[in-house]
Amino acid sequence: MKRITLAAVAAALALAAGPAMAAEEGQQASGHGVEIAAQDWSWDGIFGGFDQQQLQRGYYVYEQVCASCHSLELVAFRNLHDLGFNDEQVQAIASNWTVPDLDQETGQAITRPALPADRFPSPFPNPIAARFANNGALPPDLSVIAKARADGADYLYALLTGYVDAPQGVDVPVGKYYNAAFPGHIISMPPPLSDGRVEYIDGTPATVDQLARDVSAFLMWAAEPALVERKELGVKVILFLIVLAGITYAVKRKVWSDVEH
Amino acid sequence: MSGPSQPSQFTGAVGWIDRRLPVFSYLEKEYRQFPAPRNFNYFWNFGAIATVMLVVMMATGIVLAMQYTPHVDMAFNSVERIMRDVNNGWLLRYLHMNGASMFFIAVYIHIFRGLWYGSYKQPRELLWILGVVLLVLMMATAFMGYVLPWGQMSFWGAKVITNLFSAIPLVGDSITTWLWGGFTVDNPTLNRFFSLHYLLPFVIFGVVILHVIALHVVGSNNPLGIDPKSPRDTVPFHPYYTAKDSFGIVVFLIVYAAFVFFAPNFMGHPDNYIPADPLLTPAHIVPEWYFLPFYAILRSVDFDIWFIDAKLGGVLAMFGALVVLALAPWLDRSPVRSCRFRPVYRWFLVLLVIDLIALGYVGANAPDDEILSGLGITWLDLGHIAMPWYFIHFLVVMPLVGKFERPLPLPLSIRDAVLPTRGGAPMTTAAPSKQA
């Protein structure tokens, strides 16, 4: 009886943990009726981490394409060290951006080149201006977008590569676009990527597929910068707990060895 | 009263303290000698596991509160600041977030244990009711905690749940306004939820102490559901159950760690990473998974019952679900506690678990969506069956099965049952008069 109960509890716990391990960084099932295909990502699996080269490429896609409409408010330039950029490179990248500030003598509103400590500036001063410039649609902030959508990076990739011709009979309003991955399929964002839209320094061919993959990876990093640290610590914690479970089980067996139960 | 100085078994500094404040005597009596039935199975670990989770939640929560800002304009970003800029903030936050789910998993297994082995029955009625009080307090705490990150589900969840109070006749709207601290869910609501979310765990801690005191008066139930009759039926709590609980706790922590480190957002909803927007209602407002069966009960009452309209009916059903749970000691008419000796009732209890899982799915899906496309059966239809069954189980099945079921013969004592003959020979010389 004891053994059966133990096995049942173990099985229940395994059942609880199973889907979690399979789901990885994914969120709960989507629920908007569009099947999103799972992609292979460098961070898949227990030991998976980020590919810094890919994150750097993804950053350039964000900088040259997405940033014209989408903010990245929660990410600071100093965070780009995670992508493998050194101090000079981070400073150089930051100085390409202009951030609002106050003149420390006169108190007048000014702009200045960004410093590594600054966060990414937003392309629009406020949501009203953002809507006005985008045909009434509000481009969402991208800082945690990879966690704010069901299927995460898989969804972002599917969305960016999902611009196809509308099926027969689907009426796409003027200024809107048809997207296979978007819930409801009618999206306000024009197709942002095209082959060669960004010129990669490392010579990787800049196909739409590659651009979408790289920027999705970059946005996964932006949403979950501690992912690598988390998994590395997790492996150690679980190994420790497994050893501890073995020791406590041995202690329990020893303690109970003189009692029939 | 026997004067200022009680005699103590302890000497030295410990004895000096113990004669004035008998904490050491208490620990010795309640956690070392405390006689526990010798036949607990691993289901009896979950009380200790739940206690560990409460401590983990309080410890991580107190530290998170040092970095969190309860203001509608800053709450979302302050949580993200914890995730990004606070040293190991991501770990604290994920421990707390997944800890809530793990706490509920532990408590739900603990409740199931109580139902299966009849732990709620005489003389443990108050112990059981204190347990239901703990469940209600946990639900309130978890609900308010989920509001704090001020994401879309935080805001709209708060809106839906607080709106339930407006179903109360005559004073409902006034009560809702009073709860909100305004005319909608807004900054005062967030502030008071933070305040209460910090307070309630300490209330829970107090009720846990009462729960444990009540347990130690009547003693633990056991898988056989029969009372220990002699010291041979029990073992001292320490080291036997401290050792067994330690192992169970560590195994539970492995599952907890698997979620925290490898799937931290699995039990969350992606919409809660979208900052709250009072002008934009999410397509489906769903609560955390541990509320889904209750949410389904609420939504499955979509019809008026005589003078009670559907909304009030749903609210009454949802709270009624907890009331009938608390009344289980009086609804169950069977003198036998453990389902091991209840050949009929045990299948009804399995059915209740299936019913609750079905209700969970009903709560998670849009009511009008079809369960399988083409069949024409919606989730609401399933709710219309599963919701009444929950109440039928407690109000009809429990009393009637208890009355008409013929239980299997009970063993004479715990020792009888756990010392069976092996290979035809008794294990001990002190053989019981009747072999089990």
Side-chain angles (χ1 to χ4, degrees):
Chain A
M1 194 60 210
K2 284 268 134 69
R3 303 268 174 250
I4 295 166
T5 315
L6 177 61
V9 171
L13 295 177
L15 276 177
M21 306 307 285
E24 288 294 329
E25 297 309 316
Q27 297 276 357
Q28 279 184 343
S30 55
H32 54 63
V34 182
E35 278 297 320
I36 302 295
Q39 305 295 321
D40 288 331
W41 300 106
S42 61
W43 59 84
D44 286 343
I46 288 172
F47 301 101
F50 290 121
D51 171 357
Q52 287 189 332
Q53 285 302 310
Q54 182 176 44
L55 295 188
Q56 291 193 7
R57 291 197 300 271
Y59 167 71
Y60 290 121
V61 180
Y62 170 73
E63 183 193 78
Q64 291 171 42
V65 185
C66 320
S68 54
C69 298
H70 291 278
S71 56
L72 195 65
E73 287 177 347
L74 300 171
V75 181
F77 291 101
R78 61 184 157 79
N79 297 137
L80 296 177
H81 283 120
D82 290 2
L83 275 51
F85 291 120
N86 62 29
D87 287 351
E88 287 77 42
Q89 286 170 313
V90 169
Q91 275 172 14
I93 288 168
S95 64
N96 286 338
W97 295 71
T98 306
V99 293
D101 202 353
L102 292 179
D103 186 302
Q104 291 305 302
E105 270 178 39
T106 65
Q108 296 295 310
I110 56 162
T111 58
R112 59 165 174 80
L115 297 168
D118 288 312
R119 289 173 197 264
F120 276 86
S122 300
F124 302 105
N126 55 60
I128 302 169
R131 280 187 193 279
F132 183 71
N134 287 285
N135 206 9
L138 181 65
D141 182 79
L142 297 184
S143 312
V144 283
I145 202 81
K147 291 197 287 187
R149 295 291 181 274
D151 302 306
D154 291 335
Y155 169 76
L156 299 179
Y157 170 83
L159 184 85
L160 291 170
T161 57
Y163 288 91
V164 292
D165 293 334
Q168 284 276 307
V170 174
D171 193 29
V172 182
V174 178
K176 305 276 182 184
Y177 305 86
Y178 186 87
N179 188 297
F182 191 68
H185 299 307
I186 306 298
I187 190 168
S188 300
M189 176 169 72
L193 303 177
S194 54
D195 290 338
R197 177 74 177 74
V198 175
E199 200 169 321
Y200 281 144
I201 307 170
D202 65 0
T204 307
T207 58
V208 169
D209 181 83
Q210 189 66 40
L211 295 167
R213 227 169 259 284
D214 292 344
V215 78
S216 300
F218 171 76
L219 292 174
M220 186 70 229
W221 164 80
E224 193 70 5
L227 181 144
V228 176
E229 188 188 357
R230 190 185 82 213
K231 289 192 177 184
E232 283 174 0
L233 182 58
V235 170
K236 290 178 202 158
V237 167
I238 296 215
L239 284 177
F240 168 79
L241 286 174
I242 288 172
V243 172
L244 191 60
I247 293 170
T248 49
Y249 187 65
V251 168
K252 185 252 163 194
R253 285 289 293 253
K254 180 88 177 91
V255 165
W256 282 85
S257 60
D258 61 341
V259 180
E260 190 67 29
H261 59 283
Chain B
M1 303 303 282
S2 54
S5 205
Q6 302 282 336
S8 169
Q9 58 179 300
F10 297 99
T11 54
V14 170
W16 188 90
I17 295 169
D18 199 62
R19 284 188 297 277
R20 287 156 180 82
L21 185 69
V23 283
F24 296 102
S25 298
Y26 171 81
L27 288 175
E28 171 71 21
K29 182 165 168 289
E30 301 298 342
Y31 288 98
R32 191 181 160 87
Q33 298 167 358
F34 179 64
R38 60 196 296 160
N39 59 333
F40 285 172
N41 58 32
Y42 278 98
F43 275 117
W44 264 262
N45 281 149
F46 285 91
I49 289 170
T51 313
V52 168
M53 287 316 300
L54 175 62
V55 172
V56 168
M57 293 304 282
M58 290 173 84
T60 52
I62 286 168
V63 184
L64 285 170
M66 295 175 187
Q67 299 284 353
Y68 170 77
T69 310
H71 187 285
V72 289
D73 293 334
M74 288 178 263
F76 187 89
N77 283 359
S78 76
V79 172
E80 278 301 319
R81 206 185 109 75
I82 291 170
M83 294 293 289
R84 289 156 192 275
D85 296 339
V86 174
N87 290 340
N88 292 308
W90 60 269
L91 177 58
L92 287 168
R93 198 262 177 144
Y94 278 155
L95 281 172
H96 198 72
M97 193 172 125
N98 288 283
S101 285
M102 297 308 289
F103 197 0
F104 271 97
I105 289 173
V107 163
Y108 283 158
I109 296 174
H110 190 61
I111 293 170
F112 172 76
R113 197 285 322 275
L115 287 170
W116 187 265
Y117 295 109
S119 301
Y120 49 90
K121 291 186 191 182
Q122 194 274 332
R124 298 186 183 83
E125 301 95 326
L126 263 183
L127 177 59
W128 176 259
I129 288 174
L130 284 167
V132 177
V133 168
L134 283 170
L135 175 64
V136 173
L137 286 170
M138 270 178 70
M139 291 174 125
T141 311
F143 160 65
M144 287 190 276
Y146 193 55
V147 175
L148 302 185
W150 210 241
Q152 272 290 69
M153 281 299 161
S154 298
F155 178 87
W156 290 97
K159 190 118 180 165
V160 168
I161 300 302
T162 50
N163 251 320
L164 296 181
F165 292 92
S166 68
I168 301 168
L170 302 175
V171 292
D173 286 332
S174 308
I175 287 178
T176 312
T177 305
W178 177 72
L179 286 173
W180 283 340
F183 297 101
T184 184
V185 175
D186 206 343
N187 203 48
T189 324
L190 178 60
N191 258 294
R192 63 191 53 193
F193 277 20
F194 179 54
S195 170
L196 294 172
H197 183 70
Y198 206 117
L199 168 71
L200 284 186
F202 294 92
V203 178
I204 291 176
F205 201 86
V207 180
V208 166
I209 290 173
L210 296 180
H211 193 65
V212 170
I213 290 174
L215 172 73
H216 281 229
V217 171
V218 296
S220 296
N221 187 30
N222 64 80
L224 295 171
I226 57 176
D227 292 325
K229 293 189 176 65
S230 77
R232 296 193 310 173
D233 289 340
T234 62
V235 291
F237 187 78
H238 179 77
Y240 293 100
Y241 286 117
T242 43
K244 193 168 181 175
D245 280 345
S246 301
F247 173 61
I249 288 165
V250 175
V251 171
F252 190 81
L253 290 180
I254 292 174
V255 180
Y256 180 23
F259 277 112
V260 167
F261 292 105
F262 299 107
N265 293 303
F266 178 71
M267 292 185 281
H269 195 290
D271 277 15
N272 228 29
Y273 280 107
I274 303 171
D277 183 349
L279 300 176
L280 186 72
T281 316
H284 302 302
I285 303 173
V286 283
E288 292 278 80
W289 70 266
Y290 38 80
F291 291 135
L292 288 175
F294 296 97
Y295 189 55
I297 289 173
L298 169 78
R299 286 201 307 190
S300 294
V301 183
D302 60 341
F303 41 84
D304 298 342
I305 308 163
W306 196 26
F307 64 90
I308 300 170
D309 69 8
K311 185 177 179 184
L312 181 59
V315 175
L316 290 176
M318 188 174 73
F319 288 107
L322 292 161
V323 172
V324 293
L325 185 66
L327 294 178
W330 293 277
L331 294 171
D332 190 340
R333 308 302 301 167
S334 171
V336 175
R337 292 195 189 107
S338 174
C339 272
R340 200 175 280 184
F341 305 104
R342 300 191 62 188
V344 179
Y345 182 70
R346 70 164 80 138
W347 293 110
F348 279 106
L349 202 50
V350 169
L351 187 60
L352 180 71
V353 172
I354 295 169
D355 188 63
L356 283 165
I357 292 169
L359 281 170
Y361 279 97
V362 172
N365 286 282
D368 295 330
D369 280 1
E370 292 185 353
I371 295 172
L372 285 169
S373 57
L375 273 182
I377 301 169
T378 63
W379 289 104
L380 184 62
D381 295 332
L382 180 60
H384 283 156
I385 300 165
M387 181 273 294
W389 182 259
Y390 178 89
F391 291 96
I392 289 169
H393 178 93
F394 282 95
L395 298 174
V396 180
V397 172
M398 262 192 169
L400 289 186
V401 172
K403 210 163 174 219
F404 294 110
E405 177 184 51
R406 285 192 54 191
L408 303 175
L410 294 174
L412 288 178
S413 73
I414 294 172
R415 192 177 159 84
D416 264 7
V418 299
L419 296 182
T421 53
R422 280 193 192 160
M427 285 296 288
T428 59
T429 48
S433 55
K434 184 183 166 194
Q435 294 293 336

